[in-house]
């Protein structure tokens, strides 16, 4: 595990020998036709090894923030850097390549292909990109999430929590600079949700992974090191290690029901 981890760290080093922030947004705005301003002059730096949660009422801009930060959408103005790479001037082909190399995704829906084994699901994105999976790193991950004896199974043979853990491994197998998790526990029962959140927190602590999670759930957000609360396209508050009741009160104050 240590060798694979070292390779991951070295890949993000800048020319000055220091790792670049996983994500850096500088005065990012996003406007849609009709004058709707989903993001309004947002600046944000996500250092490597951070577990960041983004919360806010519906329509607050949290999903748009994730899409712009992950290179899935282009801001109207401002700068976005992923692992030190400015993405504003990239064409769509290079932007897609950068996402494949530097960004992992975990969604509410597991997005596993039913006809493939868990092992093939995990390595599929790499193979589609023409890359050979690092077997030692993949083995480290599946052992860490408790799926070493489930690799030959199809997704339907696993519980929801196990499928989401497989999705987490798939997001990590390419050694990304950052993993974006969009409501990763929304489809899970309470016990499975706790297991996945524990896993994400442990990956940050043990493997120095960087995770940015968008969620409406105060209990989920409270697992993060820092929580950004958004409203009307802006970050209105940044809280370090808040409690779930504290976050729930913040959302109530912002009109979330």
């Amino acid at each position: 595990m240590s060798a694979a981890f070292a390779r991951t760290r070295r890949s993000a080093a800048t020319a000055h020998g220091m790792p670049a922030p996983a994500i850096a947004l500088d005065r990012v705005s996003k406007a849609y036709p009709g004058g709707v301003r989903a993001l309004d002059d947002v600046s944000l730096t996500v250092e490597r090894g951070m577990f960041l949660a983004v919360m806010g009422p519906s329509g607050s801009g949290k999903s748009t923030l994730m899409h712009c930060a992950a290179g899935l959408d282009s801001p109207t103005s401002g700068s976005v850097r992923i692992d030190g790479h400015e993405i504003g001037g990239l064409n769509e082909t290079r932007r897609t390549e950068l996402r494949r190399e530097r960004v992992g995704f975990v969604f509410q829906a597991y997005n596993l292909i039913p006809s493939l084994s868990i092992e093939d699901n995990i390595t599929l994105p790499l193979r589609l990109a023409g890359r050979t999976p690092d077997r030692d790193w993949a083995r480290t991950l599946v052992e860490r999430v408790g799926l070493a004896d489930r690799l030959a199974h199809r997704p339907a043979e696993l519980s929801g929590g196990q499928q989401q853990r497989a999705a987490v491994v798939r997001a990590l197998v390419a050694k990304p600079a950052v993993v974006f998790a969009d409501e990763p526990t929304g489809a899970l029962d309470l016990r499975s949700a706790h297991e996945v959140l524990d896993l994400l927190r442990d990956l940050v602590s043990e493997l120095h992974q960087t995770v940015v999670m968008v969620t409406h759930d105060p209990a989920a957000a409270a697992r993060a090191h820092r929580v950004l609360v958004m409203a009307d396209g802006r970050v209105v508050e940044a809280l370090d290690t808040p409690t779930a009741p504290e976050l729930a009160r913040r959302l109530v104050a912002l009109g979330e029901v």
Side-chain angles (χ1 to χ4, degrees), residues 1-256:
M1 181 170 68
S2 59
F5 176 50
R7 285 194 294 273
T8 304
R9 293 289 293 157
R10 285 197 297 270
S11 68
T14 68
H16 302 290
M18 296 295 292
I23 297 292
L25 277 64
D26 183 25
R27 307 197 66 178
V28 168
S29 295
K30 178 66 177 181
Y32 292 103
V36 177
R37 200 170 180 85
L39 289 180
D40 188 6
D41 200 34
V42 174
S43 294
L44 168 67
T45 299
V46 183
E47 299 293 347
R48 297 186 67 82
M50 174 183 285
F51 188 1
L52 177 73
V54 182
M55 297 190 67
S58 298
S60 62
K62 57 185 183 293
S63 293
T64 303
L65 176 65
M66 186 192 78
H67 291 161
C68 288
L72 294 170
D73 199 358
S74 299
T76 306
S77 62
S79 168
V80 177
R81 289 181 177 273
I82 299 176
D83 199 23
H85 298 267
E86 168 62 54
I87 66 174
L90 301 180
N91 60 33
E92 188 53 40
T93 298
R94 183 64 189 110
R95 188 187 297 253
T96 299
E97 291 173 350
L98 182 64
R99 286 197 302 268
R100 285 176 179 170
E101 295 168 359
R102 309 284 178 169
V103 181
F105 295 98
V106 180
F107 299 102
Q108 180 173 331
Y110 320 127
N111 295 337
L112 300 176
I113 297 177
S115 61
L116 297 182
S117 69
I118 293 301
E119 181 175 15
D120 287 341
N121 266 285
I122 287 170
T123 58
L124 180 61
L126 281 177
R127 289 185 281 113
L128 290 175
R131 298 171 58 188
T132 301
D134 182 331
R135 296 294 177 180
D136 290 339
W137 176 239
R139 187 180 302 110
T140 293
L141 293 173
V142 297
E143 289 176 354
R144 176 60 191 80
V145 305
L147 293 179
D149 61 346
R150 295 289 188 270
L151 294 180
H153 289 63
R154 298 292 190 270
E157 299 174 290
L158 273 60
S159 68
Q162 289 173 325
Q163 290 185 62
Q164 191 61 299
R165 279 184 267 158
V168 170
V169 174
R170 180 183 57 194
L172 289 169
V173 75
K175 305 177 185 177
V178 59
V179 170
F180 288 94
D182 188 4
E183 301 284 2
T185 60
L188 301 177
D189 60 70
L190 187 60
R191 178 178 177 180
S192 296
H194 285 167
E195 291 175 350
V196 169
L197 290 169
D198 286 342
L199 170 62
L200 290 174
R201 181 65 184 245
D202 289 347
L203 289 169
V204 172
S205 300
E206 297 174 12
L207 301 184
H208 206 65
Q209 182 59 56
T210 307
V211 175
V212 177
M213 177 175 67
V214 171
T215 181
H216 70 283
D217 182 0
R223 301 295 189 95
H225 296 134
R226 169 167 279 203
V227 180
L228 302 183
V229 182
M230 296 192 67
D232 299 323
R234 288 180 171 268
V235 176
V236 297
E237 200 162 12
L239 304 168
D240 291 323
T241 60
T243 64
E246 183 181 4
L247 291 172
R249 288 193 295 271
R250 294 291 197 281
L251 289 183
V252 169
L254 290 171
E256 179 79 314

